[in-house]
Amino acid sequence: MYLKRRPTALSIKNLFSRKRRRAARRAAHEAAQQQMWQPGKVHKHGDTTTAHRERLLQEILESTPDAEQALEMILGAIGEMPDLEEQEHTLDHQVRLLQTYALVPPGPGTIVDVAASAIYEVPLRKLKQWQVNPIEILEIDYERDPLPFEDASQDGVMLCEVMEHFVIDPMFCFNEINRILKKDGFFVVTTPNVASWFSIYQALRNMHPSRWPVYAGAGHKEANHIHSREYMVSELTTLLEAAGFEVEEILTRDYGIAAEYEPIPGFDQHNRGETIFCRARKVSPPQMRYTKPVYLENQPFMAPDLSAPPVTDTTGPAQTPPNPPLSNREAQILKDLKGGDASQD
């Protein structure tokens, strides 16, 4: 007859010890599952837009000595904007504006701001002693027209939230910026990051990954700010190096208009912020006119031959080649700006 063994104090202790270990393993597993990314989980648990924005601003304030004064000036300039809707929109960009200011080295000197912003011009002028030469939006065609400055005449150039709107030839603008910069002049460029967590989550939810993928439509041409192409950090670096620049600093940050995004495990976590911020230095003349992978092919840059004689005929003075005809889009823009007929003579 089988007799049940009477449990000893030691065996009872071991039994409870095993139960505690199993319970601890279950608790650890459940905690790990809660921390893991799950389909549909976009933002970090418990985070808010305000908290994320404050963290982003604090990071800049801690790393930039005069950032607190600059932020006060930026907020003051935003507060003076007459259009309340535009004022509210610009407040959403205070992280981007402050980070842009932080990237600009101290002056004095002259810098060109392509598609000028009056917001960060105030701290640049007052705190960093820069004289800012603005090129207003649509003043020229940045992809076709030479920048209106002499060769090697500027200490710095800013191209902020512009290149994503280019439709035909960003390298033309980059090479023009190289032309007007002095040796070792700086180039600050910011643009949306197409490889951000924002863009990835947009695509995963069957939504367009671009930050601004919509056309304005008839009657709202002034609001037609569609992003023709957005870039990755590697692509921007390729363009800069092809244009004769060396990257000094490049980083990405969120705008701070949503809670922090939840990283997706198994993928590189670096450079996932919504905006690319970069400062580069001119180290050589432009190297490439076109460069892969942004362009279809590689083509070396050929400097214009200034010694070539002007176009002439045999019966009169030197002739200037006629301007190419305007496209329908260009003619309409010019007509809207002038308020009249934009057709060429």
Side-chain angles (χ1 to χ4, degrees):
M1 180 177 181
Y2 175 74
L3 295 177
K4 185 181 291 185
R5 185 178 178 182
R6 185 176 182 179
T8 64
L10 181 61
S11 64
I12 294 173
K13 181 179 179 181
N14 289 338
L15 176 64
F16 281 107
S17 179
R18 288 196 297 272
K19 288 183 176 180
R20 284 196 297 268
R21 287 197 297 270
R22 284 197 296 268
R25 284 197 296 270
R26 282 197 301 271
H29 177 72
E30 291 172 0
Q33 288 287 5
Q34 291 176 357
Q35 294 299 318
M36 287 178 63
W37 179 82
Q38 300 291 334
K41 185 177 181 181
V42 175
H43 298 286
K44 288 192 172 182
H45 179 71
D47 198 23
T48 65
T49 299
T50 300
H52 187 33
R53 179 183 297 155
E54 290 302 319
R55 287 195 304 271
L56 294 167
L57 289 171
Q58 191 59 37
E59 288 174 6
I60 305 171
L61 292 171
E62 290 176 355
S63 61
T64 307
D66 56 1
E68 188 171 349
Q69 291 175 276
L71 181 59
E72 290 179 4
M73 293 180 182
I74 287 170
L75 295 176
I78 294 173
E80 293 175 1
M81 298 175 73
D83 188 322
L84 294 180
E85 185 176 344
E86 184 68 17
Q87 185 182 119
E88 183 177 348
H89 170 77
T90 308
L91 272 174
D92 287 340
H93 291 259
Q94 57 186 289
V95 172
R96 178 180 64 79
L97 293 167
L98 185 61
Q99 181 62 71
T100 300
Y101 168 83
L103 268 184
V104 178
T110 59
I111 58 178
V112 171
D113 187 8
V114 180
S117 169
I119 303 300
Y120 48 66
E121 178 186 347
V122 178
L124 287 176
R125 180 166 40 84
K126 292 185 176 181
L127 299 179
K128 293 190 174 179
Q129 286 76 55
W130 286 112
Q131 175 188 329
V132 181
N133 297 318
I135 302 178
E136 300 295 337
I137 296 175
L138 291 182
E139 183 177 328
I140 62 172
D141 185 336
Y142 309 132
E143 297 179 88
R144 292 179 176 175
D145 298 335
L147 296 176
F149 299 96
E150 298 293 328
D151 295 0
S153 61
Q154 302 298 312
D155 298 290
V157 175
M158 302 177 69
L159 186 76
C160 300
E161 307 304 294
V162 175
M163 65 179 294
E164 62 271 15
H165 302 283
F166 289 168
V167 295
I168 54 171
D169 194 1
M171 279 299 294
F172 177 89
C173 183
F174 276 37
N175 289 340
E176 269 296 291
I177 289 170
N178 182 299
R179 177 186 66 79
I180 69 172
L181 276 174
K182 298 176 182 177
K183 182 181 179 182
D184 298 325
F186 72 87
F187 179 19
V188 167
V189 56
T190 74
T191 192
N193 177 20
V194 75
S196 67
W197 289 129
F198 163 82
S199 294
I200 292 169
Y201 277 118
Q202 287 286 97
L204 289 175
R205 293 180 290 180
N206 289 319
M207 300 171 71
H208 200 288
S210 171
R211 172 56 67 178
W212 194 255
V214 294
Y215 296 97
H220 300 280
K221 291 181 180 179
E222 72 283 353
N224 192 44
H225 306 309
I226 190 167
H227 291 186
S228 300
R229 191 192 197 283
E230 294 182 352
Y231 296 84
M232 297 185 294
V233 167
S234 59
E235 292 176 322
L236 178 56
T237 301
T238 295
L239 290 176
L240 288 166
E241 291 175 350
F245 294 95
E246 182 178 273
V247 172
E248 281 191 336
E249 183 176 359
I250 193 163
L251 69 149
T252 67
R253 283 195 193 279
D254 286 342
Y255 286 102
I257 56 177
E260 186 173 358
Y261 294 96
E262 182 69 39
I264 302 176
F267 294 92
D268 187 358
Q269 309 295 303
H270 296 93
N271 295 322
R272 298 299 185 180
E274 293 171 284
T275 304
I276 305 172
F277 298 88
C278 179
R279 183 181 67 245
R281 290 278 177 181
K282 176 180 175 178
V283 294
S284 73
Q287 302 299 300
M288 304 294 291
R289 181 60 186 87
Y290 307 117
T291 184
K292 293 181 178 180
V294 178
Y295 288 81
L296 185 63
E297 61 182 1
N298 291 325
Q299 181 177 315
F301 178 80
M302 302 294 290
D305 186 0
L306 300 180
S307 64
V311 178
T312 60
D313 61 25
T314 58
T315 60
Q319 302 294 313
T320 302
N323 291 326
L326 294 175
S327 66
N328 291 336
R329 172 177 171 271
E330 292 169 328
Q332 185 60 53
I333 291 174
L334 188 59
K335 180 179 179 181
D336 292 342
L337 292 173
K338 291 183 176 180
D341 188 3
S343 62
Q344 289 186 319
D345 295 334

